[in-house]
Amino acid sequence: PTAMYVRASIVEQLPDPLSPLFADMIDGSVTRSLQTLFGEILGEDVIRDDDVGLPTVNGYAYYEYSRAGMARLMWKSPRAFGALLGGGTLAGQGRWRNYSHPRYRRIVSDWTGRDLTGMSTEQLLSGVQELVDAAAEYYTAVQTIIPAAATSEVLFTRFYEAVVRSKDDPPAQVFLLGFDSAPIKSEKSLYDLASWTRSHRDLAESLLTLPPQKFLEEAAESDDPVWHEWHTRFQTHLAAYGHVVYNLDFSNPVPADDPVPLLETLRFFVRGGGIDPYERQQRSATRREDAAAAVLARLDSVRAKPFRRLLHWAQTVAPVREDALADVGLAWPQVRRMLGEIGRRLQQAGVINEPDDVYWLRRSEIDEGRGSLADQVEQRKQVWRGQRRATPPQLLPKGGWGDMFRNWMPAASEEQTGDVIKGIGGGAGTVTAPARVLGGPKDFGQMQPGDVLVASITTPAWTSLFAMASGVVTDIGGPLSHSSIVAREYGIPAVLGTAVATRRIRSGQLIKVDGDAGTVTLREESEEMRQIEQVGRPRRLIIAGATGAAAAAGLAAWLVRRRRRA
């Protein structure tokens, strides 16, 4: 009753219940990172130990703010935002570039070169905590970029819509597309590898026909120069982008640990699917530059000066936001190696059955080195599977003083019913196509070209799937989330922050995604659709928006799969 619990900020990267070990190690890290940030910005003790925490409720992470702590934060926030949005050394973007990012890389690099086998379990565990602390401090620094990104985009959009835009001008988002960012560079790297692979017929055929894990094993062990070159190129891609997280809980593998999900998108590109990302980016950049030139050519000096200034600000900050988010998991490959070493020791000691079961232990259980905990691990996994079926409210408690914050939350009600699910429009356009509900990277192989990607949330690690998608729907996120930004780059409709999409929508179900209205309409199979399935060709089909071809391909694939199941 004396605190408010919020699923926002770092918690948006934690859509599932937490593993016990991550829950234990992240809680204090978040508090310490906020204390460090506000202490540096304001030079005083704003956040106290009992003001902020990251506990779990039914397994799900929540920011916990005490009433006193929230009041103190709100009182000091205007001054903090002023420093972060200003031009000094504490400004969010400059602080990230000159201090937070280099510091995080330095700590990760320091631990990466160490011999793990010669370290005690306590030393390894302390090292993991140091890396988790560094990651939490880095993520907190990334959050200081978000206000600048949000403010710059909102101010530019409002000025453009109210003062500048004429009837034939494009929407404001056009002026912010076509820039390079870490997720776009990752996609281009994968596309380059696919293009190279296509030029070697036997290699390409093996990639398309062998099971992914089998292909990776043969590529790593082969003496054939072509296969060896492919393996080298793929490892180079993983070295640059293999740390991006699908889910911030370190119990989830990153691409460097499990690259199999990447092969699904690679296969898609090798088959000739998708749009050349270089061409797509160039088209967006050309349209952006032409639109800006056309607007400036007709504006008077009074309007041109603020338009140019606001445009430059928004265009400068937007790509940095995605670059910063992409590196949140820099420490995770090393963290997972260290925990893997601990897990192997505990397995050999008979404490757990598998090395990965280390994630299901509490930190104190590792410290104490107890006897077998295999039964407890299995019970915790079973409880986790049950918790994952829940829909966590974004804000607790319901009612009372917390309601004043509810309208700020980037998600709709988790109690929605009916055939229309409401969310936030994040990518313009409308598309009707089969849904593909993905719980994580293990499901990436289910994605078919033209499907609507439905997920709890997408991070930069999910970007490769956007090349296959005709639309995007998420439980969590807002107009400035990763899902929205990438959907705009791909020109596909997006509806975000629905709270219930992954629980209300079935894979294979036909849905209508309206990115302009921010709604998702659930479609049951109609008599007309049954006739389409029987005769193999549509009597009447309307797909609106810029992604009609992709959606049509997805619908065709859906009908084929339905016929095969029948």
Side-chain angles (χ1 to χ4, degrees):
T2 60
M4 183 174 69
Y5 299 82
V6 184
R7 281 183 57 77
S9 186
I10 193 173
V11 179
E12 292 185 353
Q13 307 291 319
L14 297 164
D16 295 328
L18 303 189
S19 64
L21 186 57
F22 182 79
D24 282 355
M25 301 189 85
I26 194 65
D27 187 0
S29 294
V30 168
T31 304
R32 289 189 290 273
S33 71
L34 288 169
Q35 288 173 331
T36 299
L37 176 68
F38 276 88
E40 182 180 344
I41 292 175
L42 300 178
E44 56 184 283
D45 181 19
V46 178
I47 297 179
R48 298 162 191 170
D49 288 342
D50 56 353
D51 282 345
V52 182
L54 200 80
T56 60
V57 180
N58 199 27
Y60 289 90
Y62 278 83
Y63 264 112
E64 177 189 44
Y65 294 97
S66 70
R67 286 192 180 188
M70 177 62 73
R72 204 177 302 112
L73 279 174
M74 292 185 68
W75 178 254
K76 299 290 185 179
S77 287
R79 197 170 132 210
F81 281 129
L84 293 173
L85 294 175
T89 58
L90 294 177
Q93 186 175 338
R95 185 178 182 276
W96 168 79
R97 193 183 303 280
N98 299 319
Y99 170 74
S100 303
H101 197 225
R103 178 182 181 277
Y104 188 27
R105 281 191 173 278
R106 186 169 57 253
I107 293 173
V108 173
S109 177
D110 179 53
W111 277 98
T112 300
R114 302 191 189 187
D115 177 20
L116 303 185
T117 59
M119 301 174 67
S120 69
T121 295
E122 180 55 38
Q123 288 175 321
L124 288 171
L125 206 55
S126 296
V128 169
Q129 186 65 68
E130 181 181 340
L131 288 169
V132 171
D133 285 350
E137 185 172 332
Y138 175 79
Y139 194 97
T140 300
V142 171
Q143 292 304 313
T144 67
I145 298 174
I146 304 301
T151 302
S152 65
E153 184 167 333
V154 168
L155 289 179
F156 167 74
T157 300
R158 290 184 176 175
F159 180 81
Y160 174 72
E161 295 289 346
V163 181
V164 173
R165 189 179 184 184
S166 64
K167 185 178 69 172
D168 297 327
D169 285 336
Q173 67 185 42
V174 166
F175 295 88
L176 305 178
L177 301 180
F179 291 100
D180 246 349
S181 64
I184 300 301
K185 291 176 182 176
S186 176
E187 182 203 5
K188 290 193 290 190
S189 172
L190 210 58
Y191 185 85
D192 289 341
L193 179 58
S195 299
W196 184 89
T197 303
R198 273 201 307 271
S199 66
H200 300 84
R201 178 179 296 181
D202 291 343
L203 178 67
E205 184 177 344
S206 297
L207 174 64
L208 295 176
T209 56
L210 288 176
Q213 188 60 47
K214 177 69 173 174
F215 177 83
L216 289 173
E217 291 170 359
E218 292 197 8
E221 298 169 1
S222 177
D223 294 328
D224 183 283
V226 172
W227 284 68
H228 179 75
E229 177 67 15
W230 185 93
H231 177 70
T232 300
R233 289 171 179 255
F234 190 55
Q235 291 303 310
T236 299
H237 174 86
L238 292 178
Y241 306 107
H243 59 269
V244 290
V245 298
Y246 300 107
N247 179 317
L248 194 56
D249 188 331
F250 54 44
S251 66
N252 296 274
V254 293
D257 302 316
D258 180 15
V260 166
L262 289 180
L263 261 64
E264 300 301 335
T265 303
L266 191 61
R267 286 172 158 182
F268 176 64
F269 284 146
V270 168
R271 293 189 186 102
I275 299 172
D276 182 332
Y278 293 95
E279 293 181 3
R280 185 191 67 238
Q281 187 180 33
Q282 185 56 54
R283 284 198 301 269
S284 294
T286 300
R287 188 184 180 199
R288 178 193 75 223
E289 293 168 2
D290 290 347
V295 167
L296 287 169
R298 64 173 171 76
L299 285 185
D300 55 78
S301 59
V302 174
R303 291 181 298 167
K305 186 175 181 179
F307 173 80
R308 189 180 285 109
R309 181 177 296 175
L310 289 170
L311 177 61
H312 175 73
W313 184 25
Q315 289 179 340
T316 300
V317 176
V320 175
R321 171 181 48 201
E322 288 296 286
D323 287 344
L325 281 173
D327 276 352
V328 168
L330 268 174
W332 269 207
Q334 180 62 18
V335 163
R336 288 180 54 81
R337 281 191 286 269
M338 295 166 76
L339 290 175
E341 175 63 25
I342 295 175
R344 281 187 289 274
R345 296 178 187 182
L346 294 176
Q347 181 192 35
Q348 291 172 359
V351 178
I352 52 179
N353 291 334
E354 301 291 339
D356 279 354
D357 287 346
V358 68
Y359 299 109
W360 298 91
L361 300 179
R362 314 300 317 197
R363 175 167 179 170
S364 61
E365 293 169 339
I366 298 175
D367 290 340
E368 295 170 12
R370 303 179 179 182
S372 176
L373 295 171
D375 289 343
Q376 289 94 317
V377 165
E378 290 308 309
Q379 290 171 6
R380 289 167 189 171
K381 289 180 180 179
Q382 189 173 22
V383 169
W384 184 91
R385 288 191 290 269
Q387 291 172 331
R388 196 166 184 261
R389 298 174 64 87
T391 302
Q394 265 217 311
L395 184 64
L396 291 170
K398 293 189 174 183
W401 72 289
D403 275 357
M404 64 182 290
F405 296 95
R406 195 169 300 279
N407 291 335
W408 298 359
M409 296 295 100
S413 169
E414 62 274 4
E415 300 173 356
Q416 295 191 63
T417 59
D419 293 336
V420 177
I421 299 174
K422 296 179 180 179
I424 300 167
T430 303
V431 67
T432 299
R436 190 61 47 201
V437 183
L438 305 182
K442 66 182 183 304
D443 300 330
F444 280 14
Q446 300 173 18
M447 188 75 181
Q448 299 291 326
D451 284 348
V452 174
L453 170 60
V454 181
S456 291
I457 190 171
T458 71
T459 66
W462 292 69
T463 301
S464 59
L465 291 184
F466 282 67
M468 304 170 67
S470 61
V472 179
V473 179
T474 66
D475 293 337
I476 303 169
L480 294 176
S481 67
H482 170 266
S483 308
S484 175
I485 292 166
V486 179
R488 294 183 215 168
E489 291 286 351
Y490 281 80
I492 58 178
V495 176
L496 317 170
T498 65
V500 298
T502 57
R503 292 158 178 81
R504 294 284 317 281
I505 299 172
R506 304 187 310 272
S507 270
Q509 182 176 16
L510 204 62
I511 62 174
K512 177 184 176 182
V513 181
D514 188 336
D516 300 304
T519 61
V520 180
T521 303
L522 311 181
R523 296 282 182 85
E524 293 300 332
E525 187 180 14
S526 65
E527 178 62 31
E528 181 173 76
M529 292 305 297
R530 284 194 291 270
Q531 291 174 2
I532 292 171
E533 187 172 350
Q534 290 168 4
V535 303
R537 60 185 179 86
R539 291 167 57 192
R540 182 171 62 88
L541 177 63
I542 299 175
I543 301 177
T547 54
L555 183 58
W558 178 73
L559 294 174
V560 169
R561 294 197 296 272
R562 296 274 296 186
R563 283 198 294 274
R564 285 175 179 169
R565 286 199 296 268

PDB file of all heavy atoms in Angstrom, residues 338-356:
ATOM      1  N   MET A 338      30.537 -17.666 -18.039  1.00  0.00           N
ATOM      2  CA  MET A 338      30.901 -17.796 -16.625  1.00  0.00           C
ATOM      3  C   MET A 338      29.874 -18.627 -15.857  1.00  0.00           C
ATOM      4  O   MET A 338      30.239 -19.497 -15.056  1.00  0.00           O
ATOM      5  CB  MET A 338      31.058 -16.404 -16.013  1.00  0.00           C
ATOM      6  CG  MET A 338      32.216 -15.616 -16.630  1.00  0.00           C
ATOM      7  SD  MET A 338      32.194 -13.846 -16.242  1.00  0.00           S
ATOM      8  CE  MET A 338      32.771 -13.866 -14.546  1.00  0.00           C
ATOM      9  N   LEU A 339      28.602 -18.368 -16.114  1.00  0.00           N
ATOM     10  CA  LEU A 339      27.569 -19.164 -15.453  1.00  0.00           C
ATOM     11  C   LEU A 339      27.565 -20.599 -15.974  1.00  0.00           C
ATOM     12  O   LEU A 339      27.232 -21.536 -15.242  1.00  0.00           O
ATOM     13  CB  LEU A 339      26.198 -18.510 -15.646  1.00  0.00           C
ATOM     14  CG  LEU A 339      25.994 -17.200 -14.881  1.00  0.00           C
ATOM     15  CD1 LEU A 339      24.656 -16.563 -15.239  1.00  0.00           C
ATOM     16  CD2 LEU A 339      26.085 -17.423 -13.370  1.00  0.00           C
ATOM     17  N   GLY A 340      27.928 -20.768 -17.247  1.00  0.00           N
ATOM     18  CA  GLY A 340      28.049 -22.126 -17.782  1.00  0.00           C
ATOM     19  C   GLY A 340      29.136 -22.912 -17.070  1.00  0.00           C
ATOM     20  O   GLY A 340      28.980 -24.115 -16.801  1.00  0.00           O
ATOM     21  N   GLU A 341      30.255 -22.255 -16.732  1.00  0.00           N
ATOM     22  CA  GLU A 341      31.331 -22.904 -15.984  1.00  0.00           C
ATOM     23  C   GLU A 341      30.853 -23.283 -14.582  1.00  0.00           C
ATOM     24  O   GLU A 341      31.111 -24.397 -14.097  1.00  0.00           O
ATOM     25  CB  GLU A 341      32.537 -21.972 -15.902  1.00  0.00           C
ATOM     26  CG  GLU A 341      33.679 -22.484 -15.040  1.00  0.00           C
ATOM     27  CD  GLU A 341      34.311 -23.770 -15.565  1.00  0.00           C
ATOM     28  OE1 GLU A 341      34.221 -24.023 -16.795  1.00  0.00           O
ATOM     29  OE2 GLU A 341      34.893 -24.521 -14.754  1.00  0.00           O
ATOM     30  N   ILE A 342      30.120 -22.387 -13.938  1.00  0.00           N
ATOM     31  CA  ILE A 342      29.546 -22.708 -12.620  1.00  0.00           C
ATOM     32  C   ILE A 342      28.578 -23.868 -12.742  1.00  0.00           C
ATOM     33  O   ILE A 342      28.577 -24.798 -11.919  1.00  0.00           O
ATOM     34  CB  ILE A 342      28.856 -21.471 -12.017  1.00  0.00           C
ATOM     35  CG1 ILE A 342      29.876 -20.371 -11.718  1.00  0.00           C
ATOM     36  CG2 ILE A 342      28.093 -21.846 -10.749  1.00  0.00           C
ATOM     37  CD1 ILE A 342      29.252 -19.065 -11.242  1.00  0.00           C
ATOM     38  N   GLY A 343      27.729 -23.834 -13.783  1.00  0.00           N
ATOM     39  CA  GLY A 343      26.755 -24.904 -13.982  1.00  0.00           C
ATOM     40  C   GLY A 343      27.408 -26.255 -14.182  1.00  0.00           C
ATOM     41  O   GLY A 343      26.930 -27.271 -13.651  1.00  0.00           O
ATOM     42  N   ARG A 344      28.501 -26.294 -14.921  1.00  0.00           N
ATOM     43  CA  ARG A 344      29.199 -27.571 -15.140  1.00  0.00           C
ATOM     44  C   ARG A 344      29.759 -28.113 -13.821  1.00  0.00           C
ATOM     45  O   ARG A 344      29.703 -29.330 -13.560  1.00  0.00           O
ATOM     46  CB  ARG A 344      30.323 -27.372 -16.154  1.00  0.00           C
ATOM     47  CG  ARG A 344      29.835 -27.331 -17.594  1.00  0.00           C
ATOM     48  CD  ARG A 344      30.988 -27.304 -18.588  1.00  0.00           C
ATOM     49  NE  ARG A 344      31.685 -26.025 -18.578  1.00  0.00           N
ATOM     50  CZ  ARG A 344      31.315 -24.973 -19.299  1.00  0.00           C
ATOM     51  NH1 ARG A 344      30.226 -25.042 -20.051  1.00  0.00           N
ATOM     52  NH2 ARG A 344      31.998 -23.845 -19.268  1.00  0.00           N
ATOM     53  N   ARG A 345      30.272 -27.217 -12.994  1.00  0.00           N
ATOM     54  CA  ARG A 345      30.797 -27.660 -11.697  1.00  0.00           C
ATOM     55  C   ARG A 345      29.675 -28.202 -10.807  1.00  0.00           C
ATOM     56  O   ARG A 345      29.845 -29.222 -10.129  1.00  0.00           O
ATOM     57  CB  ARG A 345      31.500 -26.497 -10.999  1.00  0.00           C
ATOM     58  CG  ARG A 345      32.734 -25.991 -11.734  1.00  0.00           C
ATOM     59  CD  ARG A 345      33.360 -24.802 -11.012  1.00  0.00           C
ATOM     60  NE  ARG A 345      34.446 -24.216 -11.796  1.00  0.00           N
ATOM     61  CZ  ARG A 345      35.189 -23.202 -11.393  1.00  0.00           C
ATOM     62  NH1 ARG A 345      34.949 -22.629 -10.214  1.00  0.00           N
ATOM     63  NH2 ARG A 345      36.164 -22.720 -12.166  1.00  0.00           N
ATOM     64  N   LEU A 346      28.546 -27.511 -10.815  1.00  0.00           N
ATOM     65  CA  LEU A 346      27.424 -27.958  -9.984  1.00  0.00           C
ATOM     66  C   LEU A 346      26.846 -29.271 -10.496  1.00  0.00           C
ATOM     67  O   LEU A 346      26.395 -30.115  -9.713  1.00  0.00           O
ATOM     68  CB  LEU A 346      26.337 -26.873  -9.944  1.00  0.00           C
ATOM     69  CG  LEU A 346      26.717 -25.560  -9.240  1.00  0.00           C
ATOM     70  CD1 LEU A 346      25.596 -24.552  -9.355  1.00  0.00           C
ATOM     71  CD2 LEU A 346      27.054 -25.813  -7.773  1.00  0.00           C
ATOM     72  N   GLN A 347      26.851 -29.452 -11.816  1.00  0.00           N
ATOM     73  CA  GLN A 347      26.395 -30.725 -12.375  1.00  0.00           C
ATOM     74  C   GLN A 347      27.326 -31.857 -11.932  1.00  0.00           C
ATOM     75  O   GLN A 347      26.868 -32.938 -11.517  1.00  0.00           O
ATOM     76  CB  GLN A 347      26.343 -30.653 -13.897  1.00  0.00           C
ATOM     77  CG  GLN A 347      25.849 -31.947 -14.556  1.00  0.00           C
ATOM     78  CD  GLN A 347      26.086 -31.951 -16.052  1.00  0.00           C
ATOM     79  OE1 GLN A 347      27.097 -31.420 -16.532  1.00  0.00           O
ATOM     80  NE2 GLN A 347      25.169 -32.558 -16.804  1.00  0.00           N
ATOM     81  N   GLN A 348      28.627 -31.626 -12.021  1.00  0.00           N
ATOM     82  CA  GLN A 348      29.596 -32.650 -11.619  1.00  0.00           C
ATOM     83  C   GLN A 348      29.481 -32.973 -10.130  1.00  0.00           C
ATOM     84  O   GLN A 348      29.728 -34.107  -9.701  1.00  0.00           O
ATOM     85  CB  GLN A 348      31.010 -32.172 -11.941  1.00  0.00           C
ATOM     86  CG  GLN A 348      31.302 -32.094 -13.438  1.00  0.00           C
ATOM     87  CD  GLN A 348      32.637 -31.437 -13.744  1.00  0.00           C
ATOM     88  OE1 GLN A 348      33.362 -31.020 -12.827  1.00  0.00           O
ATOM     89  NE2 GLN A 348      32.971 -31.339 -15.020  1.00  0.00           N
ATOM     90  N   ALA A 349      29.060 -31.974  -9.338  1.00  0.00           N
ATOM     91  CA  ALA A 349      28.906 -32.185  -7.900  1.00  0.00           C
ATOM     92  C   ALA A 349      27.557 -32.808  -7.556  1.00  0.00           C
ATOM     93  O   ALA A 349      27.290 -33.075  -6.370  1.00  0.00           O
ATOM     94  CB  ALA A 349      29.068 -30.860  -7.159  1.00  0.00           C
ATOM     95  N   GLY A 350      26.698 -33.025  -8.562  1.00  0.00           N
ATOM     96  CA  GLY A 350      25.401 -33.640  -8.316  1.00  0.00           C
ATOM     97  C   GLY A 350      24.352 -32.691  -7.785  1.00  0.00           C
ATOM     98  O   GLY A 350      23.296 -33.127  -7.317  1.00  0.00           O
ATOM     99  N   VAL A 351      24.613 -31.362  -7.864  1.00  0.00           N
ATOM    100  CA  VAL A 351      23.644 -30.382  -7.355  1.00  0.00           C
ATOM    101  C   VAL A 351      22.496 -30.200  -8.346  1.00  0.00           C
ATOM    102  O   VAL A 351      21.332 -30.062  -7.948  1.00  0.00           O
ATOM    103  CB  VAL A 351      24.336 -29.032  -7.078  1.00  0.00           C
ATOM    104  CG1 VAL A 351      23.321 -27.987  -6.606  1.00  0.00           C
ATOM    105  CG2 VAL A 351      25.431 -29.202  -6.043  1.00  0.00           C
ATOM    106  N   ILE A 352      22.803 -30.171  -9.655  1.00  0.00           N
ATOM    107  CA  ILE A 352      21.800 -29.992 -10.705  1.00  0.00           C
ATOM    108  C   ILE A 352      22.026 -31.039 -11.792  1.00  0.00           C
ATOM    109  O   ILE A 352      23.101 -31.646 -11.879  1.00  0.00           O
ATOM    110  CB  ILE A 352      21.863 -28.573 -11.319  1.00  0.00           C
ATOM    111  CG1 ILE A 352      23.295 -28.230 -11.766  1.00  0.00           C
ATOM    112  CG2 ILE A 352      21.346 -27.537 -10.324  1.00  0.00           C
ATOM    113  CD1 ILE A 352      23.433 -26.851 -12.394  1.00  0.00           C
ATOM    114  N   ASN A 353      21.018 -31.236 -12.624  1.00  0.00           N
ATOM    115  CA  ASN A 353      21.104 -32.262 -13.664  1.00  0.00           C
ATOM    116  C   ASN A 353      21.815 -31.779 -14.920  1.00  0.00           C
ATOM    117  O   ASN A 353      22.494 -32.547 -15.594  1.00  0.00           O
ATOM    118  CB  ASN A 353      19.701 -32.754 -14.036  1.00  0.00           C
ATOM    119  CG  ASN A 353      19.053 -33.562 -12.924  1.00  0.00           C
ATOM    120  OD1 ASN A 353      19.753 -34.158 -12.101  1.00  0.00           O
ATOM    121  ND2 ASN A 353      17.732 -33.551 -12.869  1.00  0.00           N
ATOM    122  N   GLU A 354      21.627 -30.497 -15.270  1.00  0.00           N
ATOM    123  CA  GLU A 354      22.214 -29.928 -16.475  1.00  0.00           C
ATOM    124  C   GLU A 354      22.886 -28.607 -16.139  1.00  0.00           C
ATOM    125  O   GLU A 354      22.423 -27.890 -15.235  1.00  0.00           O
ATOM    126  CB  GLU A 354      21.127 -29.683 -17.542  1.00  0.00           C
ATOM    127  CG  GLU A 354      20.349 -30.926 -17.973  1.00  0.00           C
ATOM    128  CD  GLU A 354      21.205 -31.898 -18.760  1.00  0.00           C
ATOM    129  OE1 GLU A 354      22.241 -31.457 -19.314  1.00  0.00           O
ATOM    130  OE2 GLU A 354      20.853 -33.086 -18.824  1.00  0.00           O
ATOM    131  N   PRO A 355      23.964 -28.247 -16.873  1.00  0.00           N
ATOM    132  CA  PRO A 355      24.622 -26.964 -16.575  1.00  0.00           C
ATOM    133  C   PRO A 355      23.678 -25.775 -16.639  1.00  0.00           C
ATOM    134  O   PRO A 355      23.786 -24.848 -15.819  1.00  0.00           O
ATOM    135  CB  PRO A 355      25.708 -26.884 -17.657  1.00  0.00           C
ATOM    136  CG  PRO A 355      26.024 -28.304 -17.982  1.00  0.00           C
ATOM    137  CD  PRO A 355      24.717 -29.033 -17.876  1.00  0.00           C
ATOM    138  N   ASP A 356      22.720 -25.773 -17.602  1.00  0.00           N
ATOM    139  CA  ASP A 356      21.805 -24.633 -17.724  1.00  0.00           C
ATOM    140  C   ASP A 356      20.822 -24.529 -16.567  1.00  0.00           C
ATOM    141  O   ASP A 356      20.136 -23.505 -16.419  1.00  0.00           O
ATOM    142  CB  ASP A 356      21.029 -24.717 -19.042  1.00  0.00           C
ATOM    143  CG  ASP A 356      21.846 -24.192 -20.214  1.00  0.00           C
ATOM    144  OD1 ASP A 356      22.956 -23.673 -19.977  1.00  0.00           O
ATOM    145  OD2 ASP A 356      21.373 -24.276 -21.364  1.00  0.00           O
TER     146      ASP A 356
END
